[in-house]
Amino acid sequence: MHSHVRFAAVLLLFVWVLPACSSDGGNSIDAVTDVSTDTDSSVPLDTVDQDNAGDTGTAETDTTEARTCLGTVEAASTYTLDGLDGPVEIVVDQWGVPHVFASTERDLFAAQGFIVARYRIVQMHVLRAVTSGRYGEGLLAGPGDVSNDVYMRVLNLRGVAEQMWEGIQANEPELVTMLEAYSSGVNQYLAKVASGDIKGSAEMALLGDIWEWTPVDCLLIGRLQSWDLSFDGRSDKVANYERYMEHVTRWQGGPLDGLFEDMHPLQPATDALSVPGITADRKSTLRTPAVSMEKKFQIDPQRLQTLQETLQSVPLHAYITSPREVGSNDWTISGALSATGFAMVANDTHLSLRNPPVFFEIHLNTTRAGGDLDLAGVTFPGIPSIILGRNAHAAWGGTVYYADVTDVYLESYTPGTPATVELDGAQVAVTQREEVVWYKIPEEGCASWIGSFINGVKNEVEEVDGKCKLTLHIQEVPHHGPVIPGSQMTTEEGGEAVMTWKWTGFKPTNELKTVYKMMRMASPEEFLDALSYFKVGAQNWVYADQSGHIAYAAFCQIPV
């Protein structure tokens, strides 16, 4: 395990807030916000093709105007932070974008954590509380929030993030530094709010206890975004199976028997293969299920409909399985085909319009102090560095790649201690994980917030120290994943069955290493190397660099 290091140095962080300003004639300045803005005009800007390569304006014009705009300071603050290697300067420009200047990576990420928390700590805390299954502990929680907490405890994304942190501590010292520095910056902001040095927002008081930020929280936010963009493959498979059984019940044995299989085939439409290196006879490599579902399991469609209604009563499940108007796009053009000779990247991420927004725009720079990092773009609040944008050499973008990475299994289930499921003719023990959810006592008593979904998990609820304590006994099938609450049912053959979720994000991966490697990548080869660590939350990635090269890739783990 990596030991935590406390740094004795105490240095200063300067924050400058600039007024909305204009250039000649009072017109708004047409300067890109990701320029390496500098208050000292004698220091050259280390920028590569502002506007993601291919801007028709010149860097000199944008730079001059930006520096002119920086001649006036609306407000300035100085904070003393523990653990900095040197002074750090943060300039918040007229568009509200922070530009962070530091001498070391550690200082850069500590300052990023501090300034992002200053603007987005409420969002950060709510996201981690919801994903940890702890939002019900807050003052604003209601019965739906407790159902959400149980839902997230079943998925156990925080447990996955904890496993990811263990792996990083053992193998990735650079990521340890990044995560610990960022977390330190967040916590020092919280400490200054608690001491009165900085005035916190009114919303912070409504959240109740905002506990210490940790590297696990950073990784948890990342896994939440992956879940949001990939879980269930945009198709509610429990609902699909309900429709399937309706067809079986209605048409089996008649002229329309098999209608569902015709409409939703479980085999490719043609015998064409697209996997490189496959040399076997094509038709012999194609396969259909050895046993059709209706011959092995017969489930009453009404029982499946009840399960579906139970799941839809959980706000988070209703959200993740609901039809949404989506359609992000990105593209890249080689420098060989552009008028300027520079490659171009465009990226339009069609994520939900929320308040506050999903992304946080920021500029991170160590080059002014002699380092090699000059990053500008957007990140998810709670995650260090940037997710989409540019470094000193290249720019990149991403959109969701809709791979089917979630499966729902119908398991032959034998109750007992332990319960078992069938796998390849053998019985495999079902594991059990205990979780405790806390929430305020409702007027009608603790049990009044326990709905049908929560009762789908073995549980006990009691009042303890003026709060409700809900103890859950969550079942998991080792080779698949958690048993879906409320899915235990009797087949028409008299046997027992349960449903389980299997998602690639239930296993620890290391997408943060992709983020880290992107900070310095300068060639298509380095771009592809960085993406080799991106396993969950599939994206269509595009890339362009200052040499005119471009690349496209889609990376993720897909169950086969």
Side-chain angles (χ1 to χ4, degrees):
M1 299 290 287
H2 181 86
S3 60
H4 292 257
V5 179
R6 294 189 178 273
F7 305 103
V10 177
L11 289 167
L12 301 180
L13 181 147
F14 306 96
V15 180
W16 309 89
V17 180
L18 307 175
C21 54
S22 60
S23 59
D24 299 339
N27 296 321
S28 299
I29 294 176
D30 185 19
V32 293
T33 59
D34 63 0
V35 174
S36 300
T37 315
D38 193 335
T39 55
D40 181 359
S41 61
S42 65
V43 179
L45 298 187
D46 292 318
T47 57
V48 179
D49 249 10
Q50 284 87 8
D51 228 359
N52 285 340
D55 183 18
T56 56
T58 64
E60 289 77 14
T61 300
D62 287 339
T63 299
T64 301
E65 290 183 333
R67 287 172 180 159
T68 301
C69 180
L70 293 180
T72 304
V73 174
E74 183 176 88
S77 303
T78 302
Y79 303 105
T80 301
L81 300 187
D82 295 333
L84 295 181
D85 298 317
V88 176
E89 184 178 32
I90 301 177
V91 179
V92 182
D93 67 21
Q94 63 269 34
W95 293 282
V97 177
H99 302 256
V100 183
F101 299 93
S103 58
T104 65
E105 275 189 40
R106 183 172 62 195
D107 286 3
L108 195 68
F109 295 125
Q112 183 186 13
F114 184 92
I115 196 66
V116 174
R118 175 178 172 178
Y119 289 104
R120 298 289 188 89
I121 189 59
V122 171
Q123 179 186 25
M124 292 162 63
H125 177 71
V126 168
L127 289 176
R128 70 160 170 180
V130 169
T131 315
S132 300
R134 294 185 59 182
Y135 188 75
E137 299 173 17
L139 301 176
L140 302 178
D145 298 307
V146 177
S147 293
N148 283 341
D149 281 355
V150 173
Y151 182 80
M152 279 300 181
R153 297 298 182 98
V154 170
L155 298 181
N156 196 29
L157 300 191
R158 186 166 191 90
V160 176
E162 290 169 350
Q163 294 178 60
M164 291 165 66
W165 175 230
E166 291 176 0
I168 286 173
Q169 286 178 298
N171 302 302
E172 307 288 353
E174 297 90 352
L175 301 189
V176 170
T177 298
M178 171 191 274
L179 291 165
E180 290 187 339
Y182 187 94
S183 299
S184 173
V186 175
N187 289 327
Q188 292 196 62
Y189 169 78
L190 290 173
K192 292 187 181 302
V193 172
S195 67
D197 292 344
I198 297 177
K199 184 179 180 180
S201 67
E203 293 88 348
M204 291 180 69
L206 295 175
L207 292 176
D209 180 30
I210 300 180
W211 56 87
E212 182 181 68
W213 194 268
T214 70
V216 171
D217 294 320
C218 298
L219 299 169
L220 181 64
I221 296 297
R223 190 54 30 131
L224 170 65
Q225 298 299 335
S226 299
W227 173 82
D228 187 5
L229 297 175
S230 70
F231 183 76
D232 225 18
R234 284 292 181 272
S235 173
D236 190 337
K237 295 180 175 61
V238 175
N240 290 347
Y241 187 62
E242 175 198 340
R243 289 192 290 271
Y244 172 79
M245 286 309 306
E246 288 176 354
H247 279 78
V248 169
T249 302
R250 185 173 183 181
W251 304 115
Q252 192 172 34
L256 295 180
D257 191 359
L259 176 64
F260 189 90
E261 287 87 342
D262 290 340
M263 297 172 60
H264 304 279
L266 297 176
Q267 68 182 67
T270 72
D271 65 354
L273 295 177
S274 60
V275 179
I278 296 293
T279 59
D281 176 68
R282 289 184 173 186
K283 290 187 177 181
S284 68
T285 62
L286 299 175
R287 61 184 178 86
T288 56
V291 180
S292 63
M293 288 186 289
E294 79 276 7
K295 289 185 171 65
K296 189 165 186 179
F297 291 108
Q298 292 275 357
I299 303 296
D300 181 4
Q302 184 60 47
R303 179 67 185 85
L304 289 167
Q305 184 178 354
T306 300
L307 172 60
Q308 175 66 5
E309 292 171 352
T310 298
L311 290 174
Q312 290 298 311
S313 71
V314 182
L316 280 174
H317 186 82
Y319 161 77
I320 200 67
T321 58
S322 63
R324 284 178 272 172
E325 294 297 327
V326 293
S328 300
N329 54 77
D330 58 16
W331 50 260
T332 182
I333 295 177
S334 167
L337 300 175
S338 71
T340 63
F342 290 110
M344 294 186 286
V345 161
N347 188 195
D348 181 10
T349 54
H350 292 190
L351 297 184
S352 302
L353 180 59
R354 302 170 185 171
N355 189 13
V358 173
F359 289 119
F360 185 89
E361 187 174 1
I362 196 165
H363 171 218
L364 306 169
N365 181 287
T366 64
T367 59
R368 193 177 73 171
D372 63 350
L373 289 180
D374 187 27
L375 307 168
V378 295
T379 185
F380 296 116
I383 301 177
S385 191
I386 64 169
I387 305 299
L388 304 171
R390 58 96 175 155
N391 62 25
H393 315 286
W396 65 96
T399 71
V400 175
Y401 176 71
Y402 288 110
D404 186 355
V405 294
T406 311
D407 291 320
V408 173
Y409 286 84
L410 189 60
E411 315 266 6
S412 177
Y413 179 82
T414 303
T417 308
T420 61
V421 295
E422 182 182 341
L423 176 67
D424 295 333
Q427 295 296 310
V428 177
V430 176
T431 62
Q432 187 165 277
R433 171 168 48 88
E434 184 174 296
E435 298 274 354
V436 176
V437 172
W438 296 89
Y439 56 99
K440 65 182 179 183
I441 300 177
E443 291 183 3
E444 300 82 4
C446 294
S448 65
W449 284 9
I450 306 299
S452 58
F453 173 78
I454 297 175
N455 277 328
V457 181
K458 181 182 177 182
N459 69 80
E460 302 93 34
V461 63
E462 57 185 328
E463 293 186 15
V464 178
D465 298 329
K467 295 179 290 186
C468 296
K469 178 184 178 182
L470 174 62
T471 303
L472 305 167
H473 306 279
I474 298 169
Q475 291 187 313
E476 292 183 329
V477 172
H479 47 278
H480 290 156
V483 173
I484 299 175
S487 68
Q488 185 172 346
M489 57 193 78
T490 302
T491 68
E492 292 186 1
E493 293 76 19
E496 295 290 318
V498 295
M499 288 182 172
T500 54
W501 278 311
K502 183 177 182 180
W503 174 52
T504 54
F506 288 151
K507 299 294 183 183
T509 50
N510 192 9
E511 286 71 29
L512 190 63
K513 190 160 186 176
T514 295
V515 174
Y516 187 82
K517 281 180 167 284
M518 283 179 164
M519 297 193 310
R520 293 180 175 85
M521 65 181 180
S523 69
E525 292 76 17
E526 291 177 348
F527 167 67
L528 295 175
D529 175 62
L531 291 181
S532 66
Y533 298 93
F534 202 92
K535 308 294 186 182
V536 178
Q539 299 287 302
N540 294 287
W541 296 98
V542 292
Y543 165 94
D545 61 38
Q546 60 186 355
S547 299
H549 301 133
I550 63 173
Y552 162 83
F555 275 77
C556 72
Q557 290 180 334
I558 297 178
V560 294

